Amino acid sequence: MSVPAGALGRPPPLPNFLSAQAGAPDGQRGTRLPGAERARSFGSTGRSPSVARMLQKAMTSFGKKLIRRRVVDLGSEETQFARCLSTLDLVALGVGSTLGAGVYVLSGEVAMEQAGPSIVICFFIAAVSSVLAGLCYAEFGARVPKAGSAYLYSYVTVGEIWAFTTGWNLILSYVIGTASVARAWSATFDNIIGGHISSFFQNHTALHLEHVLAEYPDFFALFLVLLLTGLLAFGVSESALVNKIFTAINLLVLGFVIISGFVKGDVKNWNMSEEDYQNRSQEALRLGTKVGEFGSGGFFPFGFGGVLSGAATCFYAFVGFDCIATTGEEARNPQRSIPVGIIVSLLICFVAYFGVSAALTLMVPYFLVNKESPLPEAFKDVGWEPARYVVAVGSLCALSASLLGSMFPMPRVIYSMAEDGLLFKVLSRVHSRTKTPLVATVVSGIISALMAFIFELKDLVNLMSIGTLLAYSLVAVCVLILRYQPELFAPKDLETLEVNGSEEEKVVMNLSASGTQAATLKERFTWGSLFCPSADTPTPVSGRVVYIATTILSIVITVLCGILAQAWRALLGGSVGWAVACALLLGVGFVATAVIWRQPESKTRLTFKVPALPLLPLFSVFVNVYLMMQLDAGTWARFAVWMAIGFSIYFGYGIRHSAEGQPLAAANKPLHSPNNELSPDTTI
C-alpha cells in the first residue's frame, strides 16, 4: 500500500544504524528463513521460542503502542464542526481567556511584596517568556490546523503516551480553572452587593470540611457554569459573540484605568526615598492603612531578585492563550488565524498588564498598595472614589470572558481524545445542528459546576500550573523535533494532487515517493554526520539524530532546573559539587544543541515558523520546567494521584481502543473524502 499523501506524524523509517538487521547483507534483509533454518535457530529439536523471547516480543509490542504516533491528513479540510470563527473571534477568545481578573488584583500583590515600580519590567520578562511558548503554538497551528491543541501536537510528534499525559492534564487544568473562576465571579459579585449571598449560605447551608469541602455550597457559581455550558452547547458563533462583548467592555475599562492613572499619577512614586517612606507611612498608619516593606527604595526597591521573583508570578497572568489552538476545525482559515490570534492576543495582554501596573504604581506608592483591592483603593487615594464601580464592572466582565475561555477548549480536547479512542467514544459525538461536541461539553460543564459548587479549590489551583507548563514544554519540544524531520510532500502539493491529479499521476507520485524513501534508507549513520550532515534536507538519519539529541537535552534541562530550583542557596554559597554538576550539564546541553543546530531543517512552507531554532524552543522549555520545579511537594503528590487515575483509564481502555491501533480502519479511511455529511454513528 502506498504512503498516504499528506500524512504527518508517521514515524520516520529507522536508519541502518538503529535497524535490527543493519548487519545483514542487503539482499537478505527483510527475507524469511526457510522452515529448517527457523527450526535450527530455535534449537535442534525444533522447540518453540523460549519464554524469554516471547516476553521480549510482548514488551516490544507494548512499547511500540506507547510511542505510536497519529497520522494527520493535511490535505483534507473535512470537519464535523462549523467553520465560522474569524481572526477577530480568535483574538477576542485569547484576550478574554488570558486577561482575567488577575489584571485587577495581581499587579497590586506583586508591586507591594516583590517588585515595587519595577513590576512593569516583571510583566515585560513574563510576556517575553510567554511569547516563546506562543510562537511554538503558532507554528503548530499553521502546521496542524486541527482540534486538540497541545494534545494533538504531542500525539503527532512524540507519541501516544505523552499525548495522553498532556491531554489528561489539560482537562484537569480547564476543570479547576473553570471552577475557580466561577467561584471568583460569585465572590466578586457578592462583595459588590455587600456580602449578602455568602452570609445567607454560611448561616443556612454550612458544610465546611478542611481541605476538601468549601465553607458553603456556592449555588451562584453552579448556576453560572451551567448557564455558560448551555451557551457553549448552543453554538460556537453565539459563544464567540458573547465573549467579544465581555472582552470589549473589559478592554474599555482597562483603557480608562490606564489613562486615569497617567493623568492622576505622580512620577515621584517611582523614586521614593526613605524620608518619603517615613512620612507617608506615619500618615497611613494614622488612617489604619496597612504599610508594606520599603526595601531599598527607588525603581528597584527589592533588587533584581525581586524582579525575577515577580516575573515568575506574572508569567501565570499570560496563561490562557492556548485555547486558541483548540479552534483548528472551527476557524475559517486556521493556518493564518491561529498564529495571528495567538501573537496579537499576547501583545494586547502585555500592553494591558504593563499599563495597569504602571498606572497603579504612579497613583499610589508601592508600599501603600492594597493587595486585596488595589485599583479601587488607588482611585480613592487620588479622590476618584466613584471609579470603583467602573472597576467592578470591568472585573466582572473580565471574569465572564475568562470563564468562557476556560470552558471553551475543554470539550474540544476531550472530543479529540475520544475521537482518537483514548477516552470513551461516546464523548466524541457532535450535534448535527449546532456542530458542537455536545456530550463532551455537557459532561465537562457538569463536572466543573460540581467542583465550583462544593469543593475547596485553593489547594488544587497549583495543579493547573503543572498541566499548563507541561503542555507548553511538550509543544516547544515538538516544534523542535518536527522542524528537522523528513517530509515527502508539502501539504499544498498534496492537496493539488488530490484535487486535480489523475489516478495515473497518483501512482507515479507514489512510486516516486517509494523510490525516494528507499534511497534515503541507504544512508548510514557516521559520527561525522552529527556536525557535518551529507544532505541539505532532512533524512531519516538526521531526523533520528534530532530525536536523540532532543531527548538528551530534555533530561539535561530537567535535572539542571531541579538543581537551580532546590539547591540555589548551596550554589550561591559556593558549593563546588553543585557547581561542577551544573557545568557538566551545561556542557552536555551545549553539545546536544550544536548537534541539532547543524542538522538540515525542513523546507516546507508554512504561514508561520518559529525563528532562531533551536534556541527559542529550548529557552521556552527551560523557563517552563524551572517553574514546574518550584511547585511544592503536595502539588506533585496530587499530580501523581491524578495521573494514576488517568493511566488506569488509558491502560484499561485507551491503549486497546486507540484509532492508531486499528490498521483495517486506518487502511480503509479515504485520504480526502468528498462526502462532507456526518456519519450517523458520530452525530446525535
Side-chain angles (χ1 to χ4, degrees), residues 222 225-226 229 441-451:
L222 173 73
V225 174
L226 292 178
T229 299
T441 300
V442 172
V443 169
S444 60
I446 291 174
I447 293 173
S448 300
L450 291 175
M451 291 281 289

Side-chain angles (χ1 to χ4, degrees), residues 517-585:
Q517 190 176 21
T520 56
L521 280 173
K522 293 180 180 179
E523 181 189 9
R524 289 181 177 275
F525 169 77
T526 61
W527 290 106
S529 64
L530 291 177
F531 294 98
C532 299
S534 57
D536 60 353
T537 57
T539 64
V541 170
S542 68
R544 187 66 63 178
V545 166
V546 171
Y547 260 103
I548 296 171
T550 304
T551 302
I552 293 171
L553 270 171
S554 300
I555 296 171
V556 166
I557 289 174
T558 302
V559 176
L560 183 61
C561 288
I563 293 173
L564 294 177
Q566 305 300 325
W568 63 274
R569 293 185 186 276
L571 279 170
L572 292 178
S575 171
V576 176
W578 289 119
V580 170
C582 289
L584 290 174
L585 289 169

Side-chain angles (χ1 to χ4, degrees), residues 80 335 616:
Q80 299 184 61
Q335 291 177 316
L616 288 190

Side-chain angles (χ1 to χ4, degrees), residues 101-110 360 370-375:
V103 70
Y104 295 93
V105 179
L106 183 65
S107 53
E109 180 183 333
V110 175
L360 175 65
N370 185 306
K371 283 198 310 179
E372 285 74 28
S373 185
L375 290 176

Side-chain angles (χ1 to χ4, degrees), residues 24 55 99 184 227 231 263 324-325 380 409 481 488 505 621 662:
L55 181 62
L99 203 62
L227 178 67
L231 175 64
V263 170
I324 296 175
K380 182 180 177 181
I481 290 175
L488 292 178
E505 287 173 322
V621 172
Q662 313 299 323

